[in-house]
Amino acid sequence: MKLSEKKGGDFAPHPVTDGPVKAVIVDITPLKKVQSEFGERDVFRVVYETEVTDDDGKRWCIWSRPYTPSLNPKANFRKDLKKILGRDITAAEADEFDTESLINMGVKLIVEHEEGKDDKTYAVLAFIGPDKDKPTLKASGKYTRVKDRPEKTEGGESGGDQGSYRKAPAAKEDEGRSEWQKCKVHIGKHAGVDLGDLPEDAVTALIEKWLPVHEANAKPKADDKRLAAALKEVGELLGIGAEEKEPEADY
């Protein structure tokens, strides 16, 4: 699938991770029409196979939130693509980006659980980032891409050995966002952006540079307190702490 700028089933959710785990992108699903509050639209998902295994040694998979096929800077896919790559796309890539180039790319993920409006527990991606630790995770070969699966039979079942991996349900687009992810950044160059939509380096800069300034403030504002609490939560997930030295305001 080439782009231009111009709910899960009855499976158990991916286990919560204590911190970042290695994963590899194993699928970009075909476009599928779904109904939303904005009407019918085409969406796709990114499927990750992680290093986390079940009791039988089989790897878990987790599906992303649904994305519309857009590279608009405000589109969810553009935001998460920036996290996957660890950079924003170039002008040439914005003209035509082939999502197949993401297959077999190594990433780091943090998985959390959230309760959906349907009272089901969903595995959600609290953090996505490039895997800079070599070697990156290689696909096990047990996952069959959606486009390569036999069509469903009249009974609604599809063929293939899909029991050889663990598929975890992904939350709907309007569900599964932790409170820290929804916290609005109100300072610096990322003002107005949800904390969960920032790349790792920007989050790290806020934790190491801005957080010490906040904690030294005897009368912080309510927005400062909310952001600080969110940063501390994600800092624990990433294993990042505020620097003890005098911070520099480069966030």
Side-chain angles (χ1 to χ4, degrees), residues 120 150 160 168 235:
K120 290 184 178 180

Side-chain angles (χ1 to χ4, degrees), residues 23-226:
V24 57
I25 296 175
V26 292
D27 202 2
I28 307 293
T29 66
L31 290 175
K32 178 180 179 180
K33 291 189 179 295
V34 299
Q35 286 292 338
S36 73
E37 58 182 313
F38 305 107
E40 187 177 71
R41 58 181 182 160
D42 291 322
V43 300
F44 69 98
R45 295 178 189 263
V46 178
V47 184
Y48 304 88
E49 183 182 76
T50 77
E51 64 181 330
V52 181
T53 57
D54 63 13
D55 293 338
D56 296 324
K58 297 174 183 176
R59 287 187 188 172
W60 289 84
C61 285
I62 182 169
W63 294 46
S64 73
R65 57 183 171 177
Y67 301 118
T68 55
S70 171
L71 286 178
N72 185 287
K74 295 183 179 180
N76 286 330
F77 180 62
R78 175 72 171 265
K79 294 176 182 177
D80 284 354
L81 181 60
K82 186 176 180 179
K83 299 176 189 177
I84 291 170
L85 299 176
R87 60 172 177 82
D88 200 1
I89 56 176
T90 64
E93 289 172 325
D95 286 336
E96 184 177 82
F97 184 84
D98 189 351
T99 57
E100 286 296 298
S101 65
L102 299 176
I103 299 297
N104 294 321
M105 184 172 292
V107 296
K108 288 285 188 71
L109 305 175
I110 292 178
V111 181
E112 294 182 346
H113 283 179
E114 291 290 334
E115 295 296 324
K117 296 178 182 178
D118 53 9
D119 294 327
K120 290 184 178 180
T121 299
Y122 292 94
V124 296
L125 297 172
F127 169 81
I128 308 171
D131 187 359
K132 300 177 182 179
D133 300 327
K134 306 300 181 183
T136 56
L137 186 69
K138 303 300 182 183
S140 67
K142 298 295 185 180
Y143 175 87
T144 301
R145 296 189 64 178
V146 173
K147 69 180 183 65
D148 296 328
R149 299 177 190 176
E151 294 183 4
K152 290 185 177 181
T153 64
E154 293 182 0
E157 297 297 327
S158 60
D161 182 18
Q162 294 308 307
S164 60
Y165 72 96
R166 300 298 303 273
K167 173 185 173 182
K172 296 179 181 179
E173 189 170 18
D174 59 347
E175 297 174 350
R177 294 275 284 181
S178 299
E179 288 304 313
W180 71 260
Q181 290 178 291
K182 295 183 286 186
C183 180
K184 288 285 186 186
V185 177
H186 62 287
I187 44 88
K189 60 185 178 182
H190 297 294
V193 180
D194 287 355
L195 185 59
D197 289 329
L198 295 188
E200 182 181 2
D201 58 347
V203 174
T204 300
L206 284 169
I207 293 173
E208 295 182 343
K209 307 298 183 182
W210 177 82
L211 194 53
V213 175
H214 160 76
E215 293 182 336
N217 185 359
K219 297 182 179 180
K221 297 179 180 179
D223 286 344
D224 292 342
K225 293 179 180 179
R226 281 192 288 269

